[in-house]
Amino acid sequence: MEQPTKQKSVHDADDDGRFSDLPDEIVHRILSFLRMRDLSRLSVVSRRRRELCISNPHLDLSNIDLINSDESSRSRFNSFVDRLISLRWMHRVKTQTFRLRWSFVGGDDEYRVATWLQHAVNMGVARINLELVLDLGKPFDLPHCVLGCNSLRQLKVDAGDGFVKLPSPYFAATNLQWLELRPVRIGCNVNIGELLSSFKSLKCLWLDKISGTKSMTFTSPSVVSLILSNYDDELCNISILQEKLQVLGISWSSKSGGKSLTISAPNLKRFYLGGSAVDYYNCMKDFPHLFNAEMGLLSFPTHQASSKHIFDKILHSIQRAKCLTINECFVEVLLEQGCLPFLFDNLEHLTVRRSSRGVQVLPLCSLLRGIIKLKHLTVSCLTRDFANVTNSMPSREFSFKMGYWESQDLMFTRQLKKVTMVLFDKEDEVELIKYLLKNAEELEVMEILYTSPVSSDLITEIRRYDQRG
């Protein structure tokens, strides 16, 4: 039987006026904003509206608003969904998008969801988005039919407090382009590298909260964007060997040591590294095309002689970046380890983010010494910490005033065009602002943000140094 159409007569009792005169695509778009309970009511209003509810190529199912309902209400709703999917199957309705937001409150929910997914696969689904509410630590076994679906282009699964379990690699879809799984547990019988290498068309891969494996190797020839996050101490080794990779994000939060990261991605353009610093870092090839790098490292080895060697390697791998975002605590560690100043001869945009008490003056100054072509500078706020000051005068007499900044002979001021500074403690930040206003001859914009009211006298003092007229 063919899928329902909107053919009707002017004398048809089901003619609903302007609503029925709209093209199916417009009506389906309108219906996508309705909750399932509202759709169930709409489907009994008229034959025409019933056909439209059945024929919508974008199927969005949710029982989230029924979590606190009684069992009878949930049962009636489940029966309606079963009937809707059966009618779609009967009329051979093609499914472009299947979105399921489902709370597992009944014993048969897992079987029911698997059945609905099978129907979507049989109807040539292109995009599947699952948002599941599971019990803490409960697995969701991704059905074999999903990864074996040749029509599937995009798959997103969020298992909430549970986790996604992958099937064996022999059912991998050959046309999948986007895969996003969170949290994901790799079974002992699943070779993640073998599974992913079977995705010949995969472009974007996002694996969140990975667990269940000690090592992962990514060698997919087609992936251009790879995002990985891990909060499990079991995972020790990550190897990324991908020629076409352009976007790489890794967040590795770990309490134990012995972590290693190997990267070979000669076409990388964007790189994020956050969480805990690794104990072994090997960049097998430079990133000559790197445009944007973000260093969000927050945790570092406390007693490790090779830390400087690791940090030097990280800096060399991002040396060609034009845009760099780095948090203040990593800058401090780089200075403590003797890694600064470091030559960033291609850097044009620098953002130093405050992650705790504020950006210390000495680490920031050491970072700026290695930058030549900087055009845009953003600093969240400055603070002074005399613990690292190596100066003959007592710390209470040490000053980061204008004379200090001018003595550093910073070369980046020659091309600087825009500065964004957040005032917090004011004194040291204002001194840097005055220095930049006086010495940055190409400066076009000085943006000052403040967390507390600023006196008119301070504003007047700052404006005295503005050389732009």
Side-chain angles (χ1 to χ4, degrees), residues 19-50:
F19 186 81
S20 293
D21 290 334
L22 293 172
D24 283 1
E25 298 81 13
I26 301 299
V27 178
H28 289 152
R29 177 62 176 166
I30 295 173
L31 296 182
S32 68
F33 293 99
L34 299 181
R35 297 180 304 171
M36 283 302 300
R37 284 199 292 183
D38 297 326
L39 284 176
S40 66
R41 297 186 182 104
L42 182 65
S43 65
V44 299
V45 171
S46 68
R47 185 177 64 191
R48 167 68 177 147
R49 298 191 184 186
R50 177 173 174 269

PDB file of all heavy atoms in Angstrom, residues 19-50:
ATOM      1  N   PHE A  19      -5.543  24.775   6.914  1.00  0.00           N
ATOM      2  CA  PHE A  19      -4.554  23.796   7.362  1.00  0.00           C
ATOM      3  C   PHE A  19      -4.336  22.723   6.315  1.00  0.00           C
ATOM      4  O   PHE A  19      -3.214  22.336   6.013  1.00  0.00           O
ATOM      5  CB  PHE A  19      -5.012  23.180   8.681  1.00  0.00           C
ATOM      6  CG  PHE A  19      -3.999  22.264   9.310  1.00  0.00           C
ATOM      7  CD1 PHE A  19      -2.949  22.773  10.044  1.00  0.00           C
ATOM      8  CD2 PHE A  19      -4.098  20.888   9.160  1.00  0.00           C
ATOM      9  CE1 PHE A  19      -2.017  21.935  10.624  1.00  0.00           C
ATOM     10  CE2 PHE A  19      -3.172  20.045   9.738  1.00  0.00           C
ATOM     11  CZ  PHE A  19      -2.124  20.576  10.475  1.00  0.00           C
ATOM     12  N   SER A  20      -5.417  22.249   5.710  1.00  0.00           N
ATOM     13  CA  SER A  20      -5.311  21.189   4.723  1.00  0.00           C
ATOM     14  C   SER A  20      -4.797  21.690   3.385  1.00  0.00           C
ATOM     15  O   SER A  20      -4.321  20.912   2.567  1.00  0.00           O
ATOM     16  CB  SER A  20      -6.686  20.532   4.511  1.00  0.00           C
ATOM     17  OG  SER A  20      -7.097  19.851   5.664  1.00  0.00           O
ATOM     18  N   ASP A  21      -4.894  22.981   3.143  1.00  0.00           N
ATOM     19  CA  ASP A  21      -4.407  23.542   1.889  1.00  0.00           C
ATOM     20  C   ASP A  21      -2.891  23.719   1.881  1.00  0.00           C
ATOM     21  O   ASP A  21      -2.303  23.952   0.824  1.00  0.00           O
ATOM     22  CB  ASP A  21      -5.069  24.900   1.625  1.00  0.00           C
ATOM     23  CG  ASP A  21      -6.555  24.734   1.297  1.00  0.00           C
ATOM     24  OD1 ASP A  21      -6.923  23.653   0.811  1.00  0.00           O
ATOM     25  OD2 ASP A  21      -7.337  25.676   1.552  1.00  0.00           O
ATOM     26  N   LEU A  22      -2.258  23.637   3.038  1.00  0.00           N
ATOM     27  CA  LEU A  22      -0.812  23.805   3.110  1.00  0.00           C
ATOM     28  C   LEU A  22      -0.106  22.589   2.512  1.00  0.00           C
ATOM     29  O   LEU A  22      -0.608  21.459   2.602  1.00  0.00           O
ATOM     30  CB  LEU A  22      -0.369  23.973   4.560  1.00  0.00           C
ATOM     31  CG  LEU A  22      -0.814  25.259   5.272  1.00  0.00           C
ATOM     32  CD1 LEU A  22      -0.460  25.173   6.752  1.00  0.00           C
ATOM     33  CD2 LEU A  22      -0.163  26.478   4.635  1.00  0.00           C
ATOM     34  N   PRO A  23       1.083  22.805   1.925  1.00  0.00           N
ATOM     35  CA  PRO A  23       1.866  21.652   1.439  1.00  0.00           C
ATOM     36  C   PRO A  23       2.240  20.722   2.596  1.00  0.00           C
ATOM     37  O   PRO A  23       2.393  21.159   3.741  1.00  0.00           O
ATOM     38  CB  PRO A  23       3.113  22.314   0.835  1.00  0.00           C
ATOM     39  CG  PRO A  23       2.734  23.731   0.584  1.00  0.00           C
ATOM     40  CD  PRO A  23       1.725  24.089   1.626  1.00  0.00           C
ATOM     41  N   ASP A  24       2.397  19.456   2.276  1.00  0.00           N
ATOM     42  CA  ASP A  24       2.719  18.483   3.319  1.00  0.00           C
ATOM     43  C   ASP A  24       3.987  18.854   4.080  1.00  0.00           C
ATOM     44  O   ASP A  24       4.074  18.671   5.300  1.00  0.00           O
ATOM     45  CB  ASP A  24       2.898  17.099   2.688  1.00  0.00           C
ATOM     46  CG  ASP A  24       1.567  16.459   2.333  1.00  0.00           C
ATOM     47  OD1 ASP A  24       0.524  17.118   2.565  1.00  0.00           O
ATOM     48  OD2 ASP A  24       1.564  15.327   1.823  1.00  0.00           O
ATOM     49  N   GLU A  25       4.990  19.390   3.355  1.00  0.00           N
ATOM     50  CA  GLU A  25       6.250  19.721   4.011  1.00  0.00           C
ATOM     51  C   GLU A  25       6.061  20.766   5.108  1.00  0.00           C
ATOM     52  O   GLU A  25       6.683  20.697   6.173  1.00  0.00           O
ATOM     53  CB  GLU A  25       7.266  20.243   2.980  1.00  0.00           C
ATOM     54  CG  GLU A  25       7.644  19.239   1.903  1.00  0.00           C
ATOM     55  CD  GLU A  25       6.599  19.166   0.796  1.00  0.00           C
ATOM     56  OE1 GLU A  25       5.718  20.061   0.754  1.00  0.00           O
ATOM     57  OE2 GLU A  25       6.646  18.218  -0.009  1.00  0.00           O
ATOM     58  N   ILE A  26       5.197  21.752   4.843  1.00  0.00           N
ATOM     59  CA  ILE A  26       4.937  22.803   5.834  1.00  0.00           C
ATOM     60  C   ILE A  26       4.188  22.234   7.032  1.00  0.00           C
ATOM     61  O   ILE A  26       4.512  22.528   8.194  1.00  0.00           O
ATOM     62  CB  ILE A  26       4.144  23.956   5.202  1.00  0.00           C
ATOM     63  CG1 ILE A  26       4.903  24.555   4.014  1.00  0.00           C
ATOM     64  CG2 ILE A  26       3.839  25.022   6.246  1.00  0.00           C
ATOM     65  CD1 ILE A  26       6.239  25.136   4.373  1.00  0.00           C
ATOM     66  N   VAL A  27       3.186  21.401   6.754  1.00  0.00           N
ATOM     67  CA  VAL A  27       2.403  20.811   7.848  1.00  0.00           C
ATOM     68  C   VAL A  27       3.283  19.915   8.712  1.00  0.00           C
ATOM     69  O   VAL A  27       3.219  19.949   9.944  1.00  0.00           O
ATOM     70  CB  VAL A  27       1.209  20.017   7.289  1.00  0.00           C
ATOM     71  CG1 VAL A  27       0.435  19.359   8.433  1.00  0.00           C
ATOM     72  CG2 VAL A  27       0.295  20.923   6.487  1.00  0.00           C
ATOM     73  N   HIS A  28       4.131  19.128   8.081  1.00  0.00           N
ATOM     74  CA  HIS A  28       5.032  18.258   8.837  1.00  0.00           C
ATOM     75  C   HIS A  28       5.971  19.077   9.724  1.00  0.00           C
ATOM     76  O   HIS A  28       6.288  18.679  10.854  1.00  0.00           O
ATOM     77  CB  HIS A  28       5.846  17.381   7.885  1.00  0.00           C
ATOM     78  CG  HIS A  28       5.027  16.319   7.219  1.00  0.00           C
ATOM     79  ND1 HIS A  28       5.348  15.812   5.986  1.00  0.00           N
ATOM     80  CD2 HIS A  28       3.902  15.662   7.615  1.00  0.00           C
ATOM     81  CE1 HIS A  28       4.471  14.881   5.652  1.00  0.00           C
ATOM     82  NE2 HIS A  28       3.579  14.777   6.627  1.00  0.00           N
ATOM     83  N   ARG A  29       6.400  20.215   9.213  1.00  0.00           N
ATOM     84  CA  ARG A  29       7.243  21.103  10.015  1.00  0.00           C
ATOM     85  C   ARG A  29       6.478  21.620  11.231  1.00  0.00           C
ATOM     86  O   ARG A  29       7.010  21.687  12.342  1.00  0.00           O
ATOM     87  CB  ARG A  29       7.737  22.266   9.156  1.00  0.00           C
ATOM     88  CG  ARG A  29       8.570  23.306   9.901  1.00  0.00           C
ATOM     89  CD  ARG A  29       9.825  22.702  10.469  1.00  0.00           C
ATOM     90  NE  ARG A  29      10.656  23.719  11.103  1.00  0.00           N
ATOM     91  CZ  ARG A  29      11.664  23.458  11.910  1.00  0.00           C
ATOM     92  NH1 ARG A  29      11.981  22.200  12.182  1.00  0.00           N
ATOM     93  NH2 ARG A  29      12.381  24.435  12.446  1.00  0.00           N
ATOM     94  N   ILE A  30       5.219  21.994  11.039  1.00  0.00           N
ATOM     95  CA  ILE A  30       4.389  22.467  12.153  1.00  0.00           C
ATOM     96  C   ILE A  30       4.192  21.355  13.180  1.00  0.00           C
ATOM     97  O   ILE A  30       4.314  21.571  14.395  1.00  0.00           O
ATOM     98  CB  ILE A  30       3.024  22.965  11.625  1.00  0.00           C
ATOM     99  CG1 ILE A  30       3.222  24.205  10.734  1.00  0.00           C
ATOM    100  CG2 ILE A  30       2.084  23.286  12.776  1.00  0.00           C
ATOM    101  CD1 ILE A  30       1.962  24.653  10.033  1.00  0.00           C
ATOM    102  N   LEU A  31       3.932  20.147  12.695  1.00  0.00           N
ATOM    103  CA  LEU A  31       3.677  19.029  13.605  1.00  0.00           C
ATOM    104  C   LEU A  31       4.912  18.669  14.427  1.00  0.00           C
ATOM    105  O   LEU A  31       4.794  18.109  15.521  1.00  0.00           O
ATOM    106  CB  LEU A  31       3.218  17.802  12.805  1.00  0.00           C
ATOM    107  CG  LEU A  31       1.888  17.934  12.052  1.00  0.00           C
ATOM    108  CD1 LEU A  31       1.549  16.636  11.351  1.00  0.00           C
ATOM    109  CD2 LEU A  31       0.757  18.338  12.999  1.00  0.00           C
ATOM    110  N   SER A  32       6.088  18.996  13.910  1.00  0.00           N
ATOM    111  CA  SER A  32       7.322  18.656  14.629  1.00  0.00           C
ATOM    112  C   SER A  32       7.455  19.416  15.948  1.00  0.00           C
ATOM    113  O   SER A  32       8.240  19.029  16.807  1.00  0.00           O
ATOM    114  CB  SER A  32       8.533  18.946  13.738  1.00  0.00           C
ATOM    115  OG  SER A  32       8.687  20.343  13.540  1.00  0.00           O
ATOM    116  N   PHE A  33       6.672  20.484  16.127  1.00  0.00           N
ATOM    117  CA  PHE A  33       6.741  21.261  17.366  1.00  0.00           C
ATOM    118  C   PHE A  33       5.771  20.737  18.428  1.00  0.00           C
ATOM    119  O   PHE A  33       5.764  21.226  19.553  1.00  0.00           O
ATOM    120  CB  PHE A  33       6.438  22.738  17.088  1.00  0.00           C
ATOM    121  CG  PHE A  33       7.474  23.427  16.267  1.00  0.00           C
ATOM    122  CD1 PHE A  33       7.288  23.614  14.910  1.00  0.00           C
ATOM    123  CD2 PHE A  33       8.664  23.869  16.842  1.00  0.00           C
ATOM    124  CE1 PHE A  33       8.250  24.248  14.142  1.00  0.00           C
ATOM    125  CE2 PHE A  33       9.630  24.500  16.073  1.00  0.00           C
ATOM    126  CZ  PHE A  33       9.420  24.690  14.714  1.00  0.00           C
ATOM    127  N   LEU A  34       4.951  19.753  18.075  1.00  0.00           N
ATOM    128  CA  LEU A  34       3.955  19.238  19.013  1.00  0.00           C
ATOM    129  C   LEU A  34       4.501  18.066  19.813  1.00  0.00           C
ATOM    130  O   LEU A  34       5.326  17.287  19.322  1.00  0.00           O
ATOM    131  CB  LEU A  34       2.698  18.787  18.252  1.00  0.00           C
ATOM    132  CG  LEU A  34       1.947  19.854  17.453  1.00  0.00           C
ATOM    133  CD1 LEU A  34       0.720  19.236  16.794  1.00  0.00           C
ATOM    134  CD2 LEU A  34       1.530  21.028  18.335  1.00  0.00           C
ATOM    135  N   ARG A  35       4.024  17.935  21.044  1.00  0.00           N
ATOM    136  CA  ARG A  35       4.367  16.780  21.848  1.00  0.00           C
ATOM    137  C   ARG A  35       3.597  15.565  21.346  1.00  0.00           C
ATOM    138  O   ARG A  35       2.561  15.691  20.676  1.00  0.00           O
ATOM    139  CB  ARG A  35       4.044  17.032  23.324  1.00  0.00           C
ATOM    140  CG  ARG A  35       4.834  18.159  23.953  1.00  0.00           C
ATOM    141  CD  ARG A  35       4.454  18.334  25.411  1.00  0.00           C
ATOM    142  NE  ARG A  35       3.021  18.557  25.578  1.00  0.00           N
ATOM    143  CZ  ARG A  35       2.395  18.568  26.740  1.00  0.00           C
ATOM    144  NH1 ARG A  35       3.083  18.358  27.862  1.00  0.00           N
ATOM    145  NH2 ARG A  35       1.105  18.778  26.810  1.00  0.00           N
ATOM    146  N   MET A  36       4.083  14.383  21.706  1.00  0.00           N
ATOM    147  CA  MET A  36       3.437  13.165  21.226  1.00  0.00           C
ATOM    148  C   MET A  36       1.994  13.064  21.699  1.00  0.00           C
ATOM    149  O   MET A  36       1.119  12.610  20.955  1.00  0.00           O
ATOM    150  CB  MET A  36       4.232  11.948  21.703  1.00  0.00           C
ATOM    151  CG  MET A  36       5.501  11.686  20.917  1.00  0.00           C
ATOM    152  SD  MET A  36       5.199  11.443  19.153  1.00  0.00           S
ATOM    153  CE  MET A  36       4.130  10.011  19.195  1.00  0.00           C
ATOM    154  N   ARG A  37       1.723  13.484  22.914  1.00  0.00           N
ATOM    155  CA  ARG A  37       0.344  13.423  23.401  1.00  0.00           C
ATOM    156  C   ARG A  37      -0.565  14.318  22.580  1.00  0.00           C
ATOM    157  O   ARG A  37      -1.728  13.997  22.323  1.00  0.00           O
ATOM    158  CB  ARG A  37       0.287  13.794  24.888  1.00  0.00           C
ATOM    159  CG  ARG A  37       0.769  12.691  25.805  1.00  0.00           C
ATOM    160  CD  ARG A  37       0.287  12.890  27.218  1.00  0.00           C
ATOM    161  NE  ARG A  37       0.911  14.044  27.856  1.00  0.00           N
ATOM    162  CZ  ARG A  37       0.686  14.402  29.128  1.00  0.00           C
ATOM    163  NH1 ARG A  37      -0.158  13.692  29.863  1.00  0.00           N
ATOM    164  NH2 ARG A  37       1.296  15.430  29.654  1.00  0.00           N
ATOM    165  N   ASP A  38      -0.037  15.475  22.159  1.00  0.00           N
ATOM    166  CA  ASP A  38      -0.829  16.372  21.317  1.00  0.00           C
ATOM    167  C   ASP A  38      -1.050  15.770  19.936  1.00  0.00           C
ATOM    168  O   ASP A  38      -2.125  15.918  19.343  1.00  0.00           O
ATOM    169  CB  ASP A  38      -0.133  17.730  21.201  1.00  0.00           C
ATOM    170  CG  ASP A  38      -0.016  18.431  22.548  1.00  0.00           C
ATOM    171  OD1 ASP A  38      -0.934  18.263  23.374  1.00  0.00           O
ATOM    172  OD2 ASP A  38       0.989  19.129  22.770  1.00  0.00           O
ATOM    173  N   LEU A  39      -0.034  15.080  19.420  1.00  0.00           N
ATOM    174  CA  LEU A  39      -0.188  14.426  18.124  1.00  0.00           C
ATOM    175  C   LEU A  39      -1.236  13.319  18.191  1.00  0.00           C
ATOM    176  O   LEU A  39      -1.999  13.120  17.236  1.00  0.00           O
ATOM    177  CB  LEU A  39       1.148  13.842  17.670  1.00  0.00           C
ATOM    178  CG  LEU A  39       2.188  14.826  17.134  1.00  0.00           C
ATOM    179  CD1 LEU A  39       3.484  14.098  16.826  1.00  0.00           C
ATOM    180  CD2 LEU A  39       1.672  15.531  15.891  1.00  0.00           C
ATOM    181  N   SER A  40      -1.245  12.597  19.305  1.00  0.00           N
ATOM    182  CA  SER A  40      -2.236  11.527  19.437  1.00  0.00           C
ATOM    183  C   SER A  40      -3.657  12.090  19.424  1.00  0.00           C
ATOM    184  O   SER A  40      -4.566  11.481  18.854  1.00  0.00           O
ATOM    185  CB  SER A  40      -1.991  10.733  20.726  1.00  0.00           C
ATOM    186  OG  SER A  40      -2.226  11.536  21.871  1.00  0.00           O
ATOM    187  N   ARG A  41      -3.850  13.267  20.021  1.00  0.00           N
ATOM    188  CA  ARG A  41      -5.165  13.915  19.998  1.00  0.00           C
ATOM    189  C   ARG A  41      -5.486  14.434  18.600  1.00  0.00           C
ATOM    190  O   ARG A  41      -6.619  14.326  18.124  1.00  0.00           O
ATOM    191  CB  ARG A  41      -5.195  15.058  21.013  1.00  0.00           C
ATOM    192  CG  ARG A  41      -5.006  14.615  22.460  1.00  0.00           C
ATOM    193  CD  ARG A  41      -5.192  15.779  23.413  1.00  0.00           C
ATOM    194  NE  ARG A  41      -4.969  15.398  24.801  1.00  0.00           N
ATOM    195  CZ  ARG A  41      -3.875  15.709  25.488  1.00  0.00           C
ATOM    196  NH1 ARG A  41      -2.905  16.407  24.910  1.00  0.00           N
ATOM    197  NH2 ARG A  41      -3.745  15.327  26.752  1.00  0.00           N
ATOM    198  N   LEU A  42      -4.480  15.021  17.942  1.00  0.00           N
ATOM    199  CA  LEU A  42      -4.693  15.575  16.611  1.00  0.00           C
ATOM    200  C   LEU A  42      -5.059  14.489  15.608  1.00  0.00           C
ATOM    201  O   LEU A  42      -5.849  14.712  14.684  1.00  0.00           O
ATOM    202  CB  LEU A  42      -3.424  16.305  16.155  1.00  0.00           C
ATOM    203  CG  LEU A  42      -3.480  16.988  14.791  1.00  0.00           C
ATOM    204  CD1 LEU A  42      -4.491  18.135  14.809  1.00  0.00           C
ATOM    205  CD2 LEU A  42      -2.103  17.493  14.378  1.00  0.00           C
ATOM    206  N   SER A  43      -4.495  13.305  15.779  1.00  0.00           N
ATOM    207  CA  SER A  43      -4.692  12.233  14.808  1.00  0.00           C
ATOM    208  C   SER A  43      -6.135  11.738  14.753  1.00  0.00           C
ATOM    209  O   SER A  43      -6.517  11.068  13.788  1.00  0.00           O
ATOM    210  CB  SER A  43      -3.758  11.061  15.125  1.00  0.00           C
ATOM    211  OG  SER A  43      -4.094  10.481  16.372  1.00  0.00           O
ATOM    212  N   VAL A  44      -6.954  12.042  15.769  1.00  0.00           N
ATOM    213  CA  VAL A  44      -8.355  11.584  15.772  1.00  0.00           C
ATOM    214  C   VAL A  44      -9.310  12.699  15.377  1.00  0.00           C
ATOM    215  O   VAL A  44     -10.521  12.491  15.361  1.00  0.00           O
ATOM    216  CB  VAL A  44      -8.739  11.038  17.163  1.00  0.00           C
ATOM    217  CG1 VAL A  44      -7.866   9.857  17.531  1.00  0.00           C
ATOM    218  CG2 VAL A  44      -8.645  12.116  18.232  1.00  0.00           C
ATOM    219  N   VAL A  45      -8.778  13.874  15.030  1.00  0.00           N
ATOM    220  CA  VAL A  45      -9.647  14.993  14.658  1.00  0.00           C
ATOM    221  C   VAL A  45     -10.278  14.767  13.293  1.00  0.00           C
ATOM    222  O   VAL A  45     -11.466  15.003  13.091  1.00  0.00           O
ATOM    223  CB  VAL A  45      -8.849  16.320  14.662  1.00  0.00           C
ATOM    224  CG1 VAL A  45      -9.658  17.458  14.063  1.00  0.00           C
ATOM    225  CG2 VAL A  45      -8.424  16.670  16.083  1.00  0.00           C
ATOM    226  N   SER A  46      -9.464  14.317  12.325  1.00  0.00           N
ATOM    227  CA  SER A  46      -9.971  14.104  10.974  1.00  0.00           C
ATOM    228  C   SER A  46      -9.085  13.105  10.263  1.00  0.00           C
ATOM    229  O   SER A  46      -7.955  12.821  10.689  1.00  0.00           O
ATOM    230  CB  SER A  46     -10.015  15.420  10.189  1.00  0.00           C
ATOM    231  OG  SER A  46      -8.702  15.886   9.932  1.00  0.00           O
ATOM    232  N   ARG A  47      -9.592  12.588   9.149  1.00  0.00           N
ATOM    233  CA  ARG A  47      -8.806  11.636   8.369  1.00  0.00           C
ATOM    234  C   ARG A  47      -7.561  12.294   7.796  1.00  0.00           C
ATOM    235  O   ARG A  47      -6.486  11.704   7.781  1.00  0.00           O
ATOM    236  CB  ARG A  47      -9.661  11.066   7.242  1.00  0.00           C
ATOM    237  CG  ARG A  47      -8.957   9.965   6.436  1.00  0.00           C
ATOM    238  CD  ARG A  47      -9.864   9.394   5.379  1.00  0.00           C
ATOM    239  NE  ARG A  47     -10.205  10.411   4.387  1.00  0.00           N
ATOM    240  CZ  ARG A  47     -11.154  10.247   3.458  1.00  0.00           C
ATOM    241  NH1 ARG A  47     -11.872   9.129   3.450  1.00  0.00           N
ATOM    242  NH2 ARG A  47     -11.400  11.194   2.589  1.00  0.00           N
ATOM    243  N   ARG A  48      -7.731  13.514   7.312  1.00  0.00           N
ATOM    244  CA  ARG A  48      -6.597  14.233   6.735  1.00  0.00           C
ATOM    245  C   ARG A  48      -5.481  14.410   7.758  1.00  0.00           C
ATOM    246  O   ARG A  48      -4.306  14.168   7.462  1.00  0.00           O
ATOM    247  CB  ARG A  48      -7.087  15.586   6.221  1.00  0.00           C
ATOM    248  CG  ARG A  48      -5.987  16.592   5.877  1.00  0.00           C
ATOM    249  CD  ARG A  48      -5.197  16.173   4.681  1.00  0.00           C
ATOM    250  NE  ARG A  48      -4.205  17.183   4.323  1.00  0.00           N
ATOM    251  CZ  ARG A  48      -3.032  16.935   3.798  1.00  0.00           C
ATOM    252  NH1 ARG A  48      -2.675  15.677   3.586  1.00  0.00           N
ATOM    253  NH2 ARG A  48      -2.203  17.899   3.478  1.00  0.00           N
ATOM    254  N   ARG A  49      -5.809  14.827   8.947  1.00  0.00           N
ATOM    255  CA  ARG A  49      -4.780  15.043   9.971  1.00  0.00           C
ATOM    256  C   ARG A  49      -4.191  13.719  10.444  1.00  0.00           C
ATOM    257  O   ARG A  49      -3.008  13.652  10.801  1.00  0.00           O
ATOM    258  CB  ARG A  49      -5.366  15.836  11.122  1.00  0.00           C
ATOM    259  CG  ARG A  49      -5.846  17.217  10.687  1.00  0.00           C
ATOM    260  CD  ARG A  49      -6.178  18.119  11.814  1.00  0.00           C
ATOM    261  NE  ARG A  49      -6.709  19.393  11.301  1.00  0.00           N
ATOM    262  CZ  ARG A  49      -6.987  20.444  12.062  1.00  0.00           C
ATOM    263  NH1 ARG A  49      -6.778  20.384  13.358  1.00  0.00           N
ATOM    264  NH2 ARG A  49      -7.460  21.546  11.523  1.00  0.00           N
ATOM    265  N   ARG A  50      -4.971  12.699  10.443  1.00  0.00           N
ATOM    266  CA  ARG A  50      -4.446  11.376  10.794  1.00  0.00           C
ATOM    267  C   ARG A  50      -3.397  10.947   9.775  1.00  0.00           C
ATOM    268  O   ARG A  50      -2.329  10.419  10.122  1.00  0.00           O
ATOM    269  CB  ARG A  50      -5.587  10.375  10.843  1.00  0.00           C
ATOM    270  CG  ARG A  50      -5.164   8.935  11.127  1.00  0.00           C
ATOM    271  CD  ARG A  50      -6.396   8.075  11.327  1.00  0.00           C
ATOM    272  NE  ARG A  50      -6.055   6.675  11.468  1.00  0.00           N
ATOM    273  CZ  ARG A  50      -5.984   5.829  10.442  1.00  0.00           C
ATOM    274  NH1 ARG A  50      -6.233   6.252   9.216  1.00  0.00           N
ATOM    275  NH2 ARG A  50      -5.671   4.557  10.646  1.00  0.00           N
TER     276      ARG A  50
END
